[in-house]
Amino acid sequence: MTTTTTVLSTSAGGPIAWERQLQPVLETIAAPVPRAVLIGNAGSGKSTGLRHLRDALARRGRETTLLRGPEADVSRISRSHVLMVDDLHLWDDALLAPLRERAEDPDAALIVARRPWPATAASRDIVRMLEGHSPVVVLGHVLRSDLLDHLGDERAMSDGCVEHVLEMTGGVAWLVDETLRRHDERDCAGGRGHDELDRSLAEAIAHRLDTVDRELRERIEEICVAPVGAALPADSPDEWLKRGHAEGLLQRNGLPVPLVRRAVRASIPARRLLEASLRSAGGLQAQAAEESALLTGLQDERISVALTTFADDLLRSDPLRAADLYRRAIDCGAPAAELMPRRARAAWSSGDFQTAAALAEDALREHPLDDSIADARRDGLSDITAAVWASRAMMQRAHDVHRLVLPTDAARIADATIASFGVGSVDPPDAAAPGATLPSAHSVSMEMLRAGLRASIAPDGGASALADLVRAAETYTAAHAVDPICELPAVIAAVTALNLGALPTARSVIDDAINGDHGGPWARPRLQLWRAWISVQQARAHDARESLRLASAALPLCARDDLLAHAVRVALARRYDDAVGLEASWSDARGVLLRAEVDLFLLHPFAEFFSAATRVGDAESVQPHLTRALDIVERLGSPPLWTSHVRWSALQQGILLSSPERLAPHAKALVAASVHSQVAACMARAGRVWTAVLAGTVDQEAVVGAAESLARIGLLWDAARLAGHGAARTTDRRVAAQLLACARELHPSEGAPRPTGAESDDDASAAVETAPEEVLSDREIEVAQLVLRGRTYAEIGDTIFISPRTVEHHIAHIRRRLGASSRSEMLARLRLLLGDHGAGSGPADGPP
């Protein structure tokens, strides 16, 4: 038997995406009983497709009947005839009955075409029955490859024109077809753009709008004049959106493609524009003013004021839209100099740091130095300028800005404190006490941030500092603050938790910040990068790579974030890659160090660079950064919370270099700090054991104990390395095997499973090995202890002087932190976590 292959090409006059979209049908018509469904919106090529299929079937000797309406008795058409029905969506249920009977017969040939709307129950039944024989062919969307195939090798269209066609049409088939028929390379040559083409297409779109009923046209106009990115009108039922999509004027999600939006905005009469604007924006007259300005080009003070007011309202919720409205307000006559500070703030909030910097510098350049300082204080340009320098990983310049322009309110004083601590200065510029005002979430957050930073440099201030900083981060999130700031409160809190070895707390702080949109759009990449960093420390390589991917895909990274991204990649390579991979990652990161300075809040990523550089034999290149890091913590008085990890990284460098003279001062510093710091004590102990191992003395109990203590303070990789070094240097094979097993348990290889969240009872038992302070705050531990004693919300509130509602809030937070899905599960996990801590003494221990 001979098999004939049917080939239908675009040269035959078919739709642009003919060969790709109709391939399933080409295979179907070769079957003894051709059965298929074509679904597409207006202009997608359904009717043309049916005609070509009819011709192809005729060439194969098949008899066909093509119906464009119920003008024939379907029951009289032979089952062997290929019955082809166009516009099935126009048939009512009574007329569809014989077609449904034919569809139920698997030996009856039937090919139908319809729009996606309307779809009666009978027509949907027919589609489902035919779909059982071959996949439904959905027409109407053109891919870039479809367009290039259609144009052929000798296409008369530039790459820029191709991209413009696909972007403006959204790949809607009839729009792409109209665009190709009207496109002339001479209209867009010489940098003239595509305005002529777009105006021509607007006429075609306007004509199609005129052919639909009035209610649908008004709905489409309402959607098109709404701000880009705005939600669909609340009173837009699905039926209207489906009708618009079936007509080829809306996408399936109910939004117009750019060409339709532009055509409606350019052609809609002024009266209907105003009506649609008021309907779509809930009475926002600024929207009508914006559209009027676009249409007429008027320079009118009323329009510019309306646009500016609208932009001010959107500055926090939609900074990109606000920035665009400020530009339009200037086009309509608003003073550019007055709007420059607000444009700079909008650019920062949307993550466009370079534009924010340029606008802030331009605004300051407009005035002599003395006047610019006053303007900077009044308009908030100083905090934007300082935050831009910090985003460039040049914290010293941010500190200089705050020294030049003294802060005058609590938020800017706190930001100046961040910058000064970042460069090792204890005393930031202070200002007179602000006037008495009602506290706000933002001002309270800034007060707690300052208190936490000051507590962090006290010898025994770690726990107090962490509590203040975690609360500052949570309050900053609650304030929905998106203002420029040198470093995010959540990052500072997470870094402090890392310094204290509390990885779960660091992870929780960052996760809460991401979920709460802490800092706004510009902050998302940085928070994802810190989540990636913490995941590396927790030996969760997959999570780290996923967070790194999300951060890198969001926005162009500033120098500070780029440095952290490279630190994550180097850390992953050092733990999971071979020497060649590590050298490649370090080579990529080396250039970043030339553009960034170390500061207090970047000590962890720089510590990774110190170890990686030493590992690949490039220790001297990072020595200036290590010296600068030590200088910063020494200028703060060598507080254990900030000093321990820097000293540990320097000690590790000495170990890798087998250099006792480099190792000794840092070992002594850790011993001195261990009086006030459990982290430093663990590091000092591990340093002694490590030095003994490298000297050939392997005490299994000492090595395991030191490794486990490092793991408890969050240094899982270093703990595994210590155990691995001990295994490599012992002559006792049994000891070597046990130390290797210890290393694998402390830091599994990338492919090994590792529990996450609260997935099983094994996870709950892991809480036994976790200090309560790493999971819950002091107040939450206090509440949890009372819960385990059977106290009610009211009784707990009376005992610790808080309201029952606050108790309920704490318990909900505890449940989330423990990953418990029910109250009973929460209680079981609390018993495991708190152990003896959950039992009190005295009267409080009475029966529930």
Side-chain angles (χ1 to χ4, degrees):
M1 177 173 136
T2 304
T3 301
T4 304
T5 301
T6 302
V7 178
L8 301 172
S9 66
T10 56
S11 61
I16 291 177
W18 177 263
E19 292 184 358
R20 176 179 61 83
Q21 293 178 338
L22 292 187
Q23 187 59 40
V25 186
L26 297 179
E27 298 170 356
T28 295
I29 64 173
V33 184
R35 292 163 69 86
V37 180
L38 277 63
I39 295 181
N41 52 20
S44 61
K46 301 184 301 300
S47 299
T48 304
L50 285 179
R51 289 196 301 272
H52 280 285
L53 289 173
R54 180 189 60 185
D55 295 342
L57 286 164
R59 289 195 295 272
R60 300 178 66 87
R62 298 298 299 264
E63 294 184 86
T64 62
T65 301
L66 176 58
L67 299 182
R68 293 187 177 84
E71 72 270 7
D73 186 351
V74 173
S75 62
R76 294 181 178 274
I77 299 174
S78 169
R79 294 191 308 167
S80 62
H81 262 59
V82 181
L83 176 58
M84 311 179 80
V85 180
D86 199 2
D87 292 335
L88 185 71
H89 55 281
L90 299 179
W91 295 39
D92 60 31
D93 283 355
L95 295 171
L96 285 172
L99 271 180
R100 192 181 189 284
E101 292 178 6
R102 188 179 182 94
E104 288 176 338
D105 184 353
D107 295 324
L110 179 61
I111 299 176
V112 301
R114 50 162 279 206
R115 291 187 185 180
W117 186 95
T120 65
S123 68
R124 288 197 297 269
D125 287 343
I126 292 172
V127 169
R128 278 195 292 269
M129 285 184 278
L130 295 178
E131 191 176 10
H133 293 263
S134 66
V136 171
V137 174
V138 180
L139 304 172
H141 187 75
V142 177
L143 303 178
R144 189 175 192 276
S145 56
D146 296 327
L147 181 54
L148 294 178
D149 288 343
H150 176 80
L151 294 171
D153 295 334
E154 298 181 1
R155 57 190 172 95
M157 183 177 285
S158 67
D159 288 340
C161 291
V162 169
E163 298 304 328
H164 179 77
V165 168
L166 293 172
E167 178 184 357
M168 296 302 292
T169 65
V172 175
W174 81 269
L175 284 173
V176 175
D177 185 60
E178 282 287 342
T179 304
L180 294 183
R181 289 198 298 107
R182 297 167 185 264
H183 177 266
D184 190 320
E185 194 74 19
R186 293 171 295 180
D187 290 333
C188 49
R192 283 191 288 270
H194 300 87
D195 291 343
E196 290 293 332
L197 174 63
D198 292 348
R199 277 194 290 270
S200 174
L201 288 164
E203 293 297 325
I205 295 169
H207 170 71
R208 178 161 291 207
L209 274 170
D210 289 340
T211 65
V212 303
D213 64 71
R214 181 180 62 83
E215 289 182 305
L216 177 58
R217 185 199 68 214
E218 289 179 351
R219 290 284 178 166
I220 293 173
E221 289 173 348
E222 179 181 338
I223 293 170
C224 287
V225 301
V228 176
L232 292 170
D235 62 343
S236 291
D238 288 345
E239 179 181 342
W240 292 109
L241 306 181
K242 291 177 180 177
R243 289 179 61 187
H245 174 247
E247 292 290 346
L249 293 166
L250 296 177
Q251 300 174 87
R252 186 171 287 276
N253 61 6
L255 298 176
V257 298
L259 199 54
V260 172
R261 185 188 297 274
R262 179 177 293 184
V264 169
R265 290 183 173 195
S267 61
I268 185 172
R271 177 186 57 79
R272 292 218 308 265
L273 169 65
L274 180 59
E275 293 172 354
S277 297
L278 293 175
R279 285 197 307 269
S280 68
L284 287 174
Q285 297 179 9
Q287 174 64 33
E290 178 196 4
E291 301 301 339
S292 299
L294 287 174
L295 292 174
T296 63
L298 290 176
Q299 292 232 341
D300 188 293
E301 182 180 359
R302 292 169 301 174
I303 295 176
S304 66
V305 169
L307 290 171
T308 301
T309 302
F310 193 17
D312 289 343
D313 291 340
L314 292 174
L315 187 54
R316 288 183 177 274
S317 61
D318 192 350
L320 275 174
R321 178 69 170 161
D324 181 57
L325 290 174
Y326 286 134
R327 286 193 296 270
R328 295 188 188 282
I330 292 171
D331 292 340
C332 294
E338 288 186 13
L339 292 184
M340 208 170 289
R342 280 178 272 190
R343 290 177 64 200
R345 189 169 293 276
W348 172 274
S349 296
S350 60
D352 188 353
F353 303 136
Q354 298 305 319
T355 299
L359 288 168
E361 290 173 5
D362 287 345
L364 292 173
R365 201 178 293 120
E366 292 287 327
H367 308 279
L369 183 61
D370 293 341
D371 292 338
S372 70
I373 292 174
D375 285 341
R377 182 181 298 121
R378 186 187 67 236
D379 297 322
L381 288 171
S382 63
D383 56 343
I384 297 174
T385 306
V388 166
W389 283 115
S391 75
R392 293 168 172 166
M394 301 181 74
M395 191 68 78
Q396 180 64 52
R397 302 297 179 271
H399 179 54
D400 292 342
V401 170
H402 284 304
R403 291 176 61 199
L404 181 63
V405 185
L406 292 176
T408 58
D409 60 65
R412 292 188 176 91
I413 292 172
D415 192 36
T417 304
I418 295 171
S420 60
F421 270 68
V423 298
S425 176
V426 177
D427 297 314
D430 273 330
T437 57
L438 289 173
S440 66
H442 186 261
S443 65
V444 170
S445 169
M446 295 296 99
E447 289 174 10
M448 289 190 293
L449 181 64
R450 293 186 72 193
L453 284 172
R454 289 195 173 278
S456 74
I457 61 174
D460 299 306
S464 173
L466 182 59
D468 282 338
L469 293 172
V470 169
R471 287 195 294 269
E474 291 175 347
T475 311
Y476 192 83
T477 301
H480 302 293
V482 296
D483 299 323
I485 192 166
C486 289
E487 188 53 277
L488 293 165
V491 170
I492 297 174
V495 170
T496 302
L498 289 172
N499 289 342
L500 293 171
L503 293 186
T505 299
R507 176 68 171 250
S508 176
V509 167
I510 293 297
D511 284 349
D512 289 348
I514 292 173
N515 294 334
D517 202 23
H518 182 96
W522 74 267
R524 291 171 198 155
R526 184 170 301 176
L527 293 171
Q528 286 288 355
L529 288 169
W530 276 106
R531 189 179 192 276
W533 178 262
I534 295 166
S535 295
V536 171
Q537 310 313 311
Q538 293 181 311
R540 303 187 189 280
H542 175 76
D543 291 352
R545 290 191 169 93
E546 177 61 15
S547 296
L548 182 62
R549 182 190 67 79
L550 292 172
S552 302
L555 292 168
L557 297 180
C558 64
R560 188 179 194 86
D561 296 344
D562 193 33
L563 181 142
L564 182 54
H566 277 285
V568 171
R569 295 187 187 102
V570 169
L572 287 168
R574 193 160 70 94
R575 288 156 177 77
Y576 302 107
D577 214 337
D578 57 17
V580 175
L582 175 59
E583 287 182 5
S585 295
W586 169 245
S587 178
D588 290 340
R590 205 171 187 273
V592 177
L593 297 185
L594 300 176
R595 300 189 296 273
E597 299 171 349
V598 64
D599 61 59
L600 190 68
F601 312 113
L602 289 177
L603 292 179
H604 282 273
F606 269 93
E608 182 63 41
F609 290 141
F610 301 155
S611 295
T614 306
R615 180 73 176 81
V616 300
D618 194 17
E620 294 306 316
S621 69
V622 296
Q623 198 59 38
H625 295 290
L626 177 56
T627 301
R628 168 68 173 161
L630 291 168
D631 177 62
I632 288 173
V633 295
E634 286 170 1
R635 290 174 64 186
L636 291 173
S638 297
L641 187 148
W642 296 105
T643 303
S644 299
H645 281 268
V646 182
R647 293 292 185 181
W648 176 254
S649 64
L651 185 146
Q652 287 289 300
Q653 188 183 64
I655 289 174
L656 288 169
L657 294 174
S658 299
S659 174
E661 65 274 10
R662 290 194 183 217
L663 186 153
H666 307 298
K668 290 178 181 177
L670 287 172
V671 171
S674 62
V675 176
H676 302 285
S677 169
Q678 180 185 2
V679 171
C682 291
M683 291 175 174
R685 176 190 177 192
R688 288 193 298 270
V689 172
W690 213 318
T691 304
V693 166
L694 295 178
T697 302
V698 180
D699 182 330
Q700 179 187 350
E701 184 177 343
V703 171
V704 171
E708 289 177 345
S709 68
L710 288 176
R712 281 195 296 273
I713 62 171
L715 298 177
L716 304 182
W717 174 242
D718 290 337
R721 287 178 57 235
L722 172 56
H725 283 181
R729 283 166 174 76
T730 182
T731 57
D732 188 325
R733 297 180 64 181
R734 182 184 59 83
V735 170
Q738 291 175 348
L739 289 178
L740 284 175
C742 175
R744 285 192 294 269
E745 181 180 352
L746 291 172
H747 197 282
S749 61
E750 186 168 3
R754 193 172 182 85
T756 60
E759 298 172 352
S760 67
D761 292 339
D762 292 339
D763 301 330
S765 64
V768 177
E769 301 298 325
T770 304
E773 295 79 10
E774 293 184 19
V775 182
L776 305 176
S777 68
D778 291 342
R779 176 66 85 184
E780 287 166 350
I781 291 173
E782 196 174 12
V783 170
Q785 290 170 340
L786 293 170
V787 168
L788 290 178
R789 295 172 195 168
R791 302 297 178 84
T792 65
Y793 289 178
E795 291 170 341
I796 294 172
D798 290 340
T799 302
I800 59 177
F801 307 105
I802 60 177
S803 70
R805 183 167 186 147
T806 302
V807 174
E808 183 179 4
H809 170 77
H810 280 308
I811 291 175
H813 203 244
I814 291 168
R815 184 168 163 180
R816 288 198 304 272
R817 287 287 173 88
L818 296 179
S821 58
S822 65
R823 179 177 175 84
S824 60
E825 185 180 0
M826 179 190 74
L827 293 174
R829 290 174 184 271
L830 281 176
R831 292 187 186 100
L832 284 170
L833 178 68
L834 297 177
D836 292 338
H837 298 286
S841 58
D845 288 330

